Amino acid sequence: MKLFITILISFIWCLPVIAQSPVNDTRTKTQKYFLEYDPNVLRIEGNSLPIGIIVLSDMGIKSQTKGFLNGFDDWSKYKIEIDSGNYSNGKIKIKGSRKVYKKGDSLTVNVYTKKWFLGGKDKWLFLQKIPYNYETSINILTTENFPKAPGDHVQFGVRKNFDNKMFIDKWTPVRKNLKDFVFLFNGVHISKSKDDLKIDNDPTKIKNNKIQLITLLAKNTAITDTLNVLLDYVANYQFNARSAGKGYDLNVTADIYHDSVINAQLLKIKIQNQATQQTYNYWVNTNGGSIDISTRSANGSDGANGPDGHAGTTGSSGIVSTLTETKINSDGTTVTTTSTVTGQGGDGGNGQDGGNGRDGDSGGNGGNITINYSPGVTPYLNLIKAYSIPGTGGSGGKAGKGGAGGTGGAGNPNGNNGSSGSDGRKGFDGYNGRKGNVTFKMTGQIS
């Protein structure tokens, strides 16, 4: 019986609302107005809701607007006003704040006739309230078969379910798509690099092998969902310690124990950086997991290039002088002649020698890795790989080029060209560093 009443109320709520104030018209007698909207569109802020107006006369004549109702009435004869939205071309663009929970709230639509010349509203025809849709529940979504080990990233989303049985799914990135929710974390956090969900790196800080994400709808925190995930520690872990000089020395302990919660044999790995005293923990499922441990030293810096030599200066031009000669003819007259003479041009300067390239620096030596393991770890040593990686030597700098000799100055004769400078020597490449020692040592039971 309760179900029948609920369905009946929902049906009545969706029926078109009859105009509150019918208008008498001498040409068409009494008219009743109805407003209908598309039930397949969520009535939430930001959405465009198609609407239509139906007009019924007491003579049984029915007409309806173009667009959503596929009628013939033109919208130009109506003026539409909405308290929380805008109207255009048969659609309402719904406004509002996504921070307000809309249960029990409605859009108010007032319909008027339009003034033909001024385009404003004329006679009021009717008022219609359109109820907002509101969220009734949320569900956390994840991709199938996502990884379940410390350090893994998890793509997730949240589904918002509404009162009309429709829903919206939003997926990461969090800052862009999931601003409507509040998150509480246990063993997980939002990744700064990928803006998704990341399982915390340190397994010793995760309680009972379980991570938890609690999600609340920000506008109504009573609407919530919880994601609980049991970790399996199946991963191919990569640990790399990289230094700015010689490789860091690493002290590693490895033990094994049976985890009854997940029914698995786990390698318990602890890595300590001897220089920084930082400690890193890894739990490795022996059925499908592994770990690579490496210490890497810095590469040698490349040598600077030798400077190019400066070009020699151009020789100066020869000096131009004027000679005047007077000659007495046999008849006693004199003839004076003037001529110009250009001296020898100056020699061009020699080019400067190019500088030698600097030698490259040597690469740093790799750090030492010592792995202390309990006897029970012996069958699983193949799951632990360790590498000491030395730095490569820097490349020698390029040789500087000798400067070009200067051009001899113009003259009579021209000056000699200067000699070009010699090219410098290329720098020698630096030596590669040496690998450090990797040592496996079986010890007693490690606590």
Side-chain angles (χ1 to χ4, degrees):
M1 184 62 181
K2 290 182 179 180
L3 179 61
F4 174 75
I5 292 173
T6 301
I7 295 173
L8 180 60
I9 291 173
S10 300
F11 177 73
I12 293 172
W13 184 253
C14 294
L15 286 176
V17 172
I18 300 175
Q20 295 186 2
S21 179
V23 175
N24 292 327
D25 190 304
T26 55
R27 295 169 295 175
T28 59
K29 304 298 181 183
T30 302
Q31 292 180 319
K32 294 181 180 180
Y33 293 87
F34 301 83
L35 187 145
E36 291 191 355
Y37 50 82
D38 190 343
N40 296 313
V41 175
L42 273 172
R43 301 181 299 282
I44 59 176
E45 60 277 0
N47 279 0
S48 291
L49 178 65
I51 62 172
I53 295 175
I54 298 174
V55 183
L56 294 177
S57 73
D58 57 2
M59 301 175 64
I61 299 174
K62 177 182 177 181
S63 63
Q64 50 197 33
T65 49
K66 297 177 181 179
F68 167 58
L69 295 179
N70 296 317
F72 297 98
D73 281 0
D74 200 298
W75 281 97
S76 61
K77 64 182 180 180
Y78 296 109
K79 175 68 176 177
I80 311 295
E81 287 187 348
I82 303 101
D83 64 344
S84 297
N86 297 319
Y87 167 81
S88 178
N89 298 322
K91 292 183 179 180
I92 293 174
K93 180 70 172 181
I94 303 174
K95 290 185 178 180
S97 172
R98 63 181 179 84
K99 297 181 180 180
V100 178
Y101 190 50
K102 292 293 187 178
K103 184 176 182 179
D105 199 0
S106 301
L107 288 163
T108 300
V109 182
N110 279 286
V111 181
Y112 303 82
T113 58
K114 183 181 290 186
K115 291 182 179 179
W116 289 106
F117 296 104
L118 300 179
K121 62 185 179 183
D122 193 8
K123 295 180 180 180
W124 178 78
L125 297 178
F126 70 101
L127 174 148
Q128 169 97 22
K129 286 188 176 292
I130 302 177
Y132 284 99
N133 290 125
Y134 56 90
E135 298 87 343
T136 56
S137 64
I138 60 175
N139 302 110
I140 300 174
L141 309 173
T142 60
T143 55
E144 294 184 3
N145 300 321
F146 61 87
K148 301 177 180 65
D152 282 332
H153 290 262
V154 181
Q155 296 296 319
F156 80 103
V158 182
R159 172 172 292 176
K160 291 197 288 188
N161 301 295
F162 291 86
D163 59 300
N164 63 348
K165 309 305 180 185
M166 296 179 70
F167 61 86
I168 294 177
D169 291 346
K170 292 288 188 178
W171 290 80
T172 50
V174 173
R175 286 184 287 272
K176 179 180 179 182
N177 293 333
L178 297 175
K179 296 182 287 187
D180 293 342
F181 306 96
V182 176
F183 300 107
L184 304 176
F185 308 101
N186 183 7
V188 290
H189 60 276
I190 299 300
S191 165
K192 292 182 179 179
S193 61
K194 296 185 178 181
D195 205 20
D196 59 3
L197 195 66
K198 184 181 180 183
I199 303 174
D200 293 347
N201 291 325
D202 192 343
T204 64
K205 297 180 179 179
I206 299 175
K207 297 180 180 179
N208 301 319
N209 302 318
K210 183 188 294 184
I211 60 171
Q212 185 180 70
L213 173 67
I214 302 173
T215 303
L216 302 89
L217 184 66
K219 67 180 71 173
N220 183 0
T221 54
I223 297 177
T224 182
D225 191 28
T226 301
L227 174 69
N228 291 302
V229 177
L230 194 64
L231 301 184
D232 61 16
Y233 303 99
V234 176
N236 302 119
Y237 297 104
Q238 303 285 327
F239 175 84
N240 179 36
R242 185 160 193 163
S243 73
K246 177 185 178 299
Y248 292 127
D249 291 339
L250 304 178
N251 186 56
V252 182
T253 59
D255 203 355
I256 193 165
Y257 72 101
H258 178 77
D259 192 304
S260 59
V261 177
I262 63 174
N263 192 27
Q265 291 284 100
L266 298 181
L267 290 175
K268 187 176 182 179
I269 308 291
K270 180 184 289 187
I271 303 171
Q272 185 178 58
N273 186 318
Q274 298 292 79
T276 66
Q277 296 303 307
Q278 291 175 294
T279 299
Y280 307 88
N281 294 290
Y282 293 88
W283 293 356
V284 182
N285 192 323
T286 58
N287 185 18
S290 64
I291 184 169
D292 286 357
I293 303 170
S294 66
T295 175
R296 184 186 298 268
S297 59
N299 295 328
S301 300
D302 293 338
N305 296 331
D308 294 336
H310 296 297
T313 57
T314 301
S316 60
S317 299
I319 298 173
V320 178
S321 58
T322 302
L323 297 177
T324 301
E325 183 179 5
T326 301
K327 182 179 180 181
I328 301 174
N329 297 322
S330 59
D331 59 1
T333 59
T334 59
V335 177
T336 300
T337 57
T338 302
S339 60
T340 57
V341 178
T342 302
Q344 180 175 346
D347 293 339
N350 294 329
Q352 186 182 35
D353 292 342
N356 294 329
R358 294 280 303 274
D359 295 341
D361 292 334
S362 297
N365 293 329
N368 299 316
I369 304 175
T370 302
I371 301 172
N372 303 285
Y373 63 93
S374 64
V377 175
T378 304
Y380 306 106
L381 286 179
N382 63 311
L383 303 181
I384 306 173
K385 301 291 193 300
Y387 308 92
S388 175
I389 305 172
T392 57
S395 300
K398 295 179 181 178
K401 294 182 179 180
T407 304
N412 187 18
N414 293 330
N416 297 316
N417 294 333
S419 300
S420 296
S422 301
D423 292 341
R425 174 186 60 79
K426 179 185 181 301
F428 294 107
D429 294 340
Y431 294 104
N432 294 331
R434 297 186 302 275
K435 291 183 178 180
N437 296 319
V438 176
T439 306
F440 284 80
K441 296 172 59 178
M442 187 170 69
T443 64
Q445 192 73 22
I446 300 172
S447 57

